[in-house]
Amino acid sequence: MTRIYLEAGPKKVFACSLDWPGWCRIAKGEEAAIDRLMEYVPRYGAIAARAGLAFEPGDPVVVARVAGSDMTDFGVPYEVPELDLEPFDEATARREVTLMRAAWEMFDEVAAGSPEDLRKGPRGGGRDLTKIVHHVEDSERAYARKIDVRHRPFRSREDREAMRAELAEVLSRAWQPPPTTGWPPSYARRRVIWHVIDHLWEIEDRR
């Protein structure tokens, strides 16, 4: 089976995989969110393949529900489920960090091969490429602070890579409660990977 949890906001629901971090999709209603999640099996499978992992998800099974908020409706899997407070070993952490590195690699490749001007939405909205890249990087630096990885604003690609190296190292460690940082590591890995691949897919869809 594929273990998922649902985060329900006032109007929208996120369906998120617990074992494949970053594989999260949103829709109006629980069934629609689960259907949307499963529609993205091929696209998430590309991330897993880059990480060298076999991705053969079974039927989705809801193992937890989380009360969301306006942030959920805004489009962010914002709440930390209780299951993210369970201990995990180093092998689990390293496996998920492998997915995080794969997401970074694929995002950089797609960004490098895409035009600056991306197709606008029906109302003319949407960031162009450079703004999306900067948004992903700035958000990542803010996310890193949630697990006490602190870096100054990036002045070069080397600065970004130094932050990512430290972030990956911290998130590769075994962990057990109680939490000592703003986010538990399981949630941090999911949030970082989701944000990267969400914008990766946005660029692919709009180029």
Side-chain angles (χ1 to χ4, degrees), residues 14-149:
F14 259 105
C16 294
S17 169
L18 284 161
D19 301 309
W20 294 96
W23 185 25
C24 301
R25 294 286 88 190
I26 189 172
K28 293 182 178 180
E30 292 188 357
E31 290 187 11
I34 295 171
D35 288 345
R36 184 73 167 160
L37 182 75
M38 300 310 291
E39 288 172 6
Y40 275 71
V41 165
R43 297 182 83 169
Y44 191 89
I47 305 290
R50 176 63 65 92
L53 299 173
F55 181 63
E56 299 174 351
D59 293 335
V61 176
V62 178
V63 297
R65 285 178 168 81
V66 181
S69 65
D70 290 342
M71 289 300 294
T72 313
D73 287 356
F74 183 69
V76 179
Y78 194 75
E79 304 300 329
V80 178
E82 287 292 326
L83 289 168
D84 282 349
L85 301 178
E86 294 183 350
F88 55 81
D89 58 19
E90 184 176 326
T92 298
R94 289 189 176 279
R95 170 186 171 276
E96 295 192 359
V97 167
T98 299
L99 288 160
M100 187 165 68
R101 292 186 186 279
W104 284 335
E105 289 177 7
M106 293 185 69
F107 179 88
D108 287 348
E109 289 175 8
V110 168
S114 298
E116 175 62 22
D117 295 329
L118 300 174
R119 180 167 48 84
K120 302 299 183 185
R123 297 183 181 179
R127 302 178 181 95
D128 286 332
L129 179 66
T130 298
K131 289 185 178 180
I132 292 176
V133 172
H134 289 167
H135 167 68
V136 168
E137 293 176 344
D138 290 344
S139 297
E140 209 162 88
R141 196 167 58 84
Y143 297 164
R145 291 197 295 271
K146 291 289 190 177
I147 57 167
D148 292 345
V149 173

